[in-house]
Amino acid sequence: MTRTQTLPTALDVEAAFVRLRSVIRETPLIPSARLSAATGANVWVKREDLQPVRSYKVRGAYNLIAQLDEEERARGVVTASAGNHAQGFAFACAQLGLRGRIYVPSTTPRQKRDRIASLGAGHVDLIVDGETYDDAAGAARDDGERTGAVLVPAFDHADTIAGQGTTAIEIVEQLGRAPDVLVVPVGGAGMLAGCTTWLRSRHPGTRIVGAEPSGAACLAAAVEAGEPVTLPTIDTFVDGAAVRRAGDLTHAVVARGDVDLVTVDEGRVCTEMLDLYQVDGIIAEPAGALASAALLQTIDVQPGQDVVVILSGGNNDVSRYAEIVERSLVDLGRKHYFLVTFPQEPGALRRFVEDVLGPDDDIALFEYVKRSNRESGPALVGIELAHREDLDGLLLRMEDSPMTIERIPADSPFYRFLV
């Protein structure tokens, strides 16, 4: 069962700020030497990964649930989430003593599921349903209609939006002024809508940029179409922002809010995750690195401008790092795959290594099946370069080689299977 939906106002965001002040953490706003050096601007990172649930989602979930009346609380609450909103929901249920049900898609990492169960122990039931957030959201809506439980949307509700928008108030208070540029990660666009609602009313001069993963740019599609549309397919790698359809309310706010939208390649997100970890000592999940990755990839800022990027989540599953490193190497132009037809004779591989590979090139993958009745056989070879500039030399040596070598293009279905 859903509550009445209206567009939020700046006053709603400010009321949420007061409501949440004693419950959630005021997360640090820290200067980033790395991002500042790369852009020439004065860049700060808003560390929402340091919330009790390691993401900003607790702001919206708690703000909505805390305003339910006694009759609504008695019916219980239900939600759907890719993982982070579920943790905020579970935290709110435990704090306020409510019973709730949470639907998550099968793509939600185990680490997030375990955190949800821990935060909401004794208060929430976790149900896995569907392959995407939108599948889980449909199951949660059906649950609410069937049981009468109050639906707590992850982004498309005025109270959720207002709660998430409190981040903008904190940023201005901590910085001592409104930033020139604010970069916000986007899934369903609750945070973007909340920050836009407040900033456009109180500090209209701030440039607001929403960053979506290129494989799930549902808000950009909605803005182009003039209304929310359902994307036929999405890449679920950035699981915290893998949304097939933007919200009606969030789209309405953003469409009239003079917001720039950019997309970020998933590989670039992986590179930024590794830089955050190795250089800054910050553990970020893919959605958490969206805003800073966008700043480095596609957003032009002026030297000396005050720029704030929101680091939205730190719920990363360590088992995913092998894929993260792989995607990053591809993004950096250092990992390439080839089909090499080797003659089935002694010394063929040695000649390939000596005549084709450069001194700093490394074979990272070699899959070969020997056929006893054939003179040659194909091998799948993955090559990791020390520098992306080494690719041209490698390709020239391959052209000169007597072996038949076929490069696997990055946009082929086979390549996506490998990565």
Side-chain angles (χ1 to χ4, degrees), residues 260-336:
D260 296 335
L261 294 177
V262 299
T263 58
V264 190
D265 296 335
E266 280 76 7
R268 184 57 55 91
V269 170
C270 292
T271 298
E272 176 61 9
M273 289 175 66
L274 295 174
D275 284 343
L276 283 166
Y277 176 65
Q278 294 172 331
V279 180
D280 303 327
I282 296 173
I283 298 174
E285 65 183 279
L290 260 179
S292 52
L295 177 64
L296 294 175
Q297 182 181 20
T298 59
I299 301 173
D300 292 327
V301 295
Q302 301 302 312
Q305 281 189 316
D306 292 327
V307 179
V308 174
V309 297
I310 297 176
L311 200 161
S312 59
N315 291 296
N316 194 47
D317 190 336
V318 68
S319 66
R320 304 180 75 188
Y321 268 107
E323 181 183 6
I324 291 165
V325 171
E326 174 84 3
R327 285 179 178 252
S328 175
L329 288 170
V330 172
D331 168 65
L332 294 171
R334 293 181 50 209
K335 188 72 171 288
H336 304 273

Side-chain angles (χ1 to χ4, degrees), residues 120-363:
H123 293 274
V124 301
D125 298 316
L126 182 63
I127 305 161
V128 179
D129 196 303
E131 296 181 358
T132 68
Y133 163 78
D134 301 86
D135 295 335
R141 284 193 298 270
D142 292 343
D143 184 309
E145 292 172 0
R146 183 177 67 254
T147 66
V150 176
L151 186 65
V152 180
F155 49 83
D156 203 26
H157 192 287
D159 292 337
T160 304
I161 293 169
Q164 293 177 3
T166 59
T167 309
I169 300 179
E170 275 189 24
I171 289 170
V172 172
E173 286 194 348
Q174 292 172 313
L175 193 60
R177 57 195 177 279
D180 297 304
V181 183
L182 175 66
V183 188
V184 183
V186 177
M191 168 68 85
L192 180 64
C195 291
T196 299
T197 295
W198 189 74
L199 286 169
R200 285 293 168 258
S201 177
R202 303 299 190 242
H203 300 280
T206 294
R207 177 189 174 199
I208 304 172
V209 183
E212 296 184 278
S214 60
C218 65
L219 184 59
V223 170
E224 182 178 357
E227 62 181 0
V229 295
T230 301
L231 299 177
T233 59
I234 58 173
D235 186 328
T236 59
F237 175 74
V238 186
D239 55 285
V243 177
R244 196 184 294 269
R245 185 182 188 279
D248 295 320
L249 289 181
T250 56
H251 166 257
V253 172
V254 172
R256 68 179 189 179
D258 188 24
V259 174
D260 296 335
L261 294 177
V262 299
T263 58
V264 190
D265 296 335
E266 280 76 7
R268 184 57 55 91
V269 170
C270 292
T271 298
E272 176 61 9
M273 289 175 66
L274 295 174
D275 284 343
L276 283 166
Y277 176 65
Q278 294 172 331
V279 180
D280 303 327
I282 296 173
I283 298 174
E285 65 183 279
L290 260 179
S292 52
L295 177 64
L296 294 175
Q297 182 181 20
T298 59
I299 301 173
D300 292 327
V301 295
Q302 301 302 312
Q305 281 189 316
D306 292 327
V307 179
V308 174
V309 297
I310 297 176
L311 200 161
S312 59
N315 291 296
N316 194 47
D317 190 336
V318 68
S319 66
R320 304 180 75 188
Y321 268 107
E323 181 183 6
I324 291 165
V325 171
E326 174 84 3
R327 285 179 178 252
S328 175
L329 288 170
V330 172
D331 168 65
L332 294 171
R334 293 181 50 209
K335 188 72 171 288
H336 304 273
Y337 291 94
F338 303 88
L339 284 175
V340 182
T341 302
F342 283 92
Q344 294 196 149
E345 61 186 32
L349 177 58
R350 177 177 54 79
R351 290 196 299 273
F352 177 80
V353 172
E354 293 177 349
D355 299 340
V356 176
L357 294 190
D360 297 320
D361 299 342
D362 185 31
I363 295 179

